[in-house]
Amino acid sequence: MNLRLRLGLWLAGTALLVTTSAQAVEIMQWERIPLPVPLHVGEERIVFVDQNVRVGIPPSIAGSLRVQSVGGAIYFRASEEIPPTRLQLQNVATGEIMLVDIAATAPKPGQASLEPAKIIAGDSIAAARYGQTSKTSTPGSARAQTPSPDEEEAEEEPRHETPSPVALTRYAAQMLYAPLRTVEPVAGIQPVRVDRKMDLSTLLPTLPVEAVAIGAWQLDNTFVTAIKLRNLSPEQLTLNPRDLLGSFATATYQHPYLGPRGNPSDTTTLYLVTQGKGLKHSLLPSSVNQIDPKMGGEREHSK
């Protein structure tokens, strides 16, 4: 089937499964490296952690920063400029500590408000949330301990009621936009480390957008990668899966358009599903000719 036709059909089938959000969320993954959380003076910014946490605040900024932690969401509001300062977020149940570096600056005239942020825990915590289960056997049962050839073959060829591209797209959208405690577990889905510096310049060459990979998951031999798209132009952009270049099984946009740059709607998420390989190996090489959205024609890339 033609790639463009497949993209269009899958878009129609999976778009209904993806929840929408009025405002984009910046995704941060805790990998024991302090996470930067910039603030604007006089503006409240929300950071979702989906854990009951205590926030440790240095006495030097206690009078300049208001912090409230409610139901897995932390509300920060700075009353004056604050130099880079490290805060500790401690999980009340486990005692685990995450580190964030805040800094509050005065917003520039016309500057958009900072979007909410969401911190996703590392692999050890995420594995428990991603539906991974361990197999157990009944003591003294040789059949339970040693599966038959038929059972081994069944395990090698898992079957799912929901097609893998649909399940992965829906799961990724929930992981990024819904509280983790409400995410429907799917057996077999595992997080995949994503290269945030991946070159995505050939993905949407006809649109003036910034594209950054923010998350990836795998189910059997199928992968989904979430791409954060930000409009760099002052005009609203309509998003069409037929504009994408690469080898993808399905493509789904969180929203059908991007608002003008600086508008709260100038950012959305794209979910790309690939078969047998990750997104990096499904993109066109950057050395191929691209259409320059500013010039309206083709440009040559030096080899």
Side-chain angles (χ1 to χ4, degrees):
M1 182 183 297
N2 181 273
L3 173 59
R4 292 185 175 180
L5 179 59
R6 292 172 60 193
L7 288 172
L9 292 175
W10 275 108
L11 174 66
T14 58
L16 296 177
L17 301 175
V18 181
T19 59
T20 60
S21 173
Q23 188 175 16
V25 177
E26 180 180 359
I27 305 301
M28 303 178 179
Q29 185 168 3
W30 168 246
E31 296 178 318
R32 304 193 180 279
I33 299 176
L35 302 172
V37 180
L39 305 174
H40 284 170
V41 175
E43 295 181 3
E44 188 168 65
R45 189 177 190 190
I46 306 175
V47 177
F48 300 101
V49 291
D50 290 297
Q51 301 174 10
N52 186 13
V53 298
R54 298 188 187 96
V55 183
I57 304 176
S60 59
I61 64 169
S64 306
L65 180 66
R66 186 188 72 186
V67 179
Q68 295 176 314
S69 179
V70 181
I74 305 174
Y75 300 81
F76 293 100
R77 184 183 180 89
S79 58
E80 59 184 16
E81 293 191 359
I82 300 175
T85 305
R86 181 159 298 176
L87 306 183
Q88 293 186 357
L89 311 182
Q90 183 180 35
N91 188 316
V92 175
T94 65
E96 181 185 8
I97 292 178
M98 294 185 290
L99 303 177
V100 298
D101 290 338
I102 67 157
T105 58
K108 299 178 181 179
Q111 185 176 5
S113 299
L114 293 169
E115 59 194 12
K118 185 170 187 174
I119 298 177
I120 299 177
D123 294 344
S124 59
I125 298 177
R129 295 182 180 271
Y130 292 169
Q132 297 181 14
T133 57
S134 59
K135 298 181 180 180
T136 58
S137 57
T138 304
S141 171
R143 179 177 178 81
Q145 297 174 357
T146 307
S148 66
D150 292 340
E151 291 174 335
E152 290 180 349
E153 183 177 353
E155 290 182 359
E156 293 175 357
E157 299 179 2
R159 295 182 179 181
H160 307 282
E161 294 182 1
T162 304
S164 295
V166 177
L168 277 168
T169 300
R170 178 172 56 191
Y171 186 83
Q174 291 177 347
M175 285 298 301
L176 297 180
Y177 287 92
L180 292 183
R181 60 181 177 275
T182 67
V183 175
E184 179 183 355
V186 179
I189 291 185
Q190 302 179 24
V192 177
R193 186 175 297 277
V194 64
D195 181 7
R196 294 177 181 270
K197 297 182 180 180
M198 187 189 315
D199 183 7
L200 300 176
S201 59
T202 62
L203 182 60
L204 279 166
T206 62
L207 296 180
V209 298
E210 176 187 62
V212 180
I214 59 175
W217 293 265
Q218 177 181 2
L219 178 60
D220 301 332
N221 202 34
T222 305
F223 299 80
V224 64
T225 303
I227 307 295
K228 179 179 178 180
L229 299 177
R230 186 186 298 275
N231 189 355
L232 300 179
S233 75
E235 300 178 356
Q236 178 172 303
L237 302 177
T238 300
L239 300 175
N240 190 325
R242 293 176 176 82
D243 294 331
L244 295 165
L245 297 183
S247 178
F248 317 120
T250 70
T252 306
Y253 290 103
Q254 187 81 24
H255 306 96
Y257 68 91
L258 287 174
R261 181 177 183 177
N263 188 284
S265 61
D266 70 354
T267 304
T268 192
T269 304
L270 165 66
Y271 305 93
L272 292 176
V273 174
T274 54
Q275 296 285 357
K277 54 188 177 181
L279 178 63
K280 188 174 184 178
H281 303 288
S282 301
L283 298 168
L284 294 181
S286 58
S287 60
V288 301
N289 291 346
Q290 298 182 43
I291 298 176
D292 190 338
K294 297 180 180 179
M295 301 299 295
E298 292 188 349
R299 61 182 180 184
E300 292 284 347
H301 285 257
S302 58
K303 297 182 179 180

